[in-house]
Amino acid sequence: QKEVEQNSGPLSVPEGAIASLNCTYSDRGSQSFFWYRQYSGKSPELIMFIYSNGDKEDGRFTAQLNKASQYVSLLIRDSQPSDSATYLCAVISRGGSYIPTFGRGTSLIVHP
Amino acid sequence: EAGVVQSPRYKIIEKKQPVAFWCNPISGHNTLYWYLQNLGQGPELLIRYENEEAVDDSQLPKDRFSAERLKGVDSTLKIQPAELGDSAVYLCASSYTGGSGELFFGEGSRLTVL
């Protein structure tokens, strides 16, 4: 079982809708969670991080963390075609030398 | 502020040939990572440096891969000899400290082995 699991998608949503991206992780001792966005042919860039249970909002993006259920999600409100990209979930586990472990990413397509 | 710089951006070689990738991290970032990314997959760690010390290289195939970070700044990743399965994007990233999780990636070096 991979440490960080994501549905590869693609997830297709209409412009203006809410896109919901999910990620589960296997190490219950994980402590830091990150969302990276990767446009086709480009490198990943950090868009959100969350350390505590609950929600964290930044503009149109909301990260949600539920440590009991071992999942973290990213909501994108008012989705725009420019949000079309692959979203990578990364997790730092206490037992993993504090190195971010990435999921395979979920491809998001926002159509006009 | 300059970002992470990698070169070359693209490299095409025949199998069994050597290849080297270079990375210059963001100034002041002590931690440097080399990740490998295959198509449709997330980045996978090859090696992490804290200053000039390799602190996690358990995923680096040491029979053919080597890396160095002299003086704790620039880093070079080498493959010798390259195999067909090494075709991938090699990403360099840096962070201010280890364990940060807030990584800054370079544009990557895309390797094609024929």
Side-chain angles (χ1 to χ4, degrees):
Chain A
Q1 181 188 12
K2 285 206 66 170
E3 296 177 37
V4 181
E5 297 270 7
Q6 293 182 260
N7 187 320
S8 62
L11 173 66
S12 182
V13 300
E15 183 175 357
I18 296 175
S20 178
L21 304 159
N22 299 312
C23 170
T24 59
Y25 57 93
S26 59
D27 185 352
R28 189 170 288 278
S30 298
Q31 54 187 169
S32 307
F33 308 86
F34 306 83
W35 284 99
Y36 284 78
R37 178 176 61 200
Q38 186 171 26
Y39 291 113
S40 180
K42 300 294 186 182
S43 58
E45 58 177 332
L46 180 68
I47 55 172
M48 290 282 290
F49 59 86
I50 185 167
Y51 302 142
S52 303
N53 273 333
D55 295 0
K56 180 181 178 182
E57 187 174 317
D58 184 1
R60 295 186 297 111
F61 298 96
T62 299
Q64 299 176 319
L65 175 61
N66 184 323
K67 290 186 176 180
S69 299
Q70 294 176 237
Y71 83 78
V72 57
S73 61
L74 179 71
L75 302 179
I76 306 176
R77 291 183 300 279
D78 188 23
S79 295
Q80 301 297 309
S82 59
D83 294 325
S84 298
T86 295
Y87 290 81
L88 298 162
C89 173
V91 176
I92 289 183
S93 303
R94 262 196 307 237
S97 302
Y98 297 96
I99 295 172
T101 299
F102 287 83
R104 66 182 302 175
T106 297
S107 174
L108 173 67
I109 299 172
V110 181
H111 53 86
Chain B
E1 179 183 76
V4 177
V5 179
Q6 290 188 247
S7 69
R9 288 293 312 281
Y10 305 93
K11 189 74 176 180
I12 301 174
I13 61 172
E14 295 194 347
K15 63 181 181 181
K16 300 185 181 179
Q17 294 300 305
V19 64
F21 305 111
W22 175 81
C23 174
N24 181 248
I26 292 173
S27 178
H29 281 195
N30 298 321
T31 308
L32 184 146
Y33 308 77
W34 282 102
Y35 280 89
L36 176 154
Q37 187 173 28
N38 287 302
L39 189 64
Q41 302 296 317
E44 300 174 28
L45 182 76
L46 290 172
I47 190 168
R48 176 178 71 134
Y49 282 93
E50 292 290 343
N51 298 303
E52 65 273 14
E53 182 182 359
V55 295
D56 195 313
D57 62 356
S58 59
Q59 301 303 312
L60 189 72
K62 297 182 182 62
D63 57 335
R64 298 184 300 107
F65 286 64
S66 64
E68 62 182 9
R69 190 184 184 196
L70 299 177
K71 301 181 181 179
V73 182
D74 295 2
S75 177
T76 302
L77 177 69
K78 298 179 181 178
I79 308 174
Q80 182 171 12
E83 297 179 352
L84 295 176
D86 296 331
S87 295
V89 176
Y90 292 83
L91 294 166
C92 178
S94 68
S95 65
Y96 185 64
T97 60
S100 162
E102 299 176 45
L103 273 56
F104 295 82
F105 285 87
E107 290 294 322
S109 294
R110 182 178 296 276
L111 173 66
T112 301
V113 182
L114 302 177

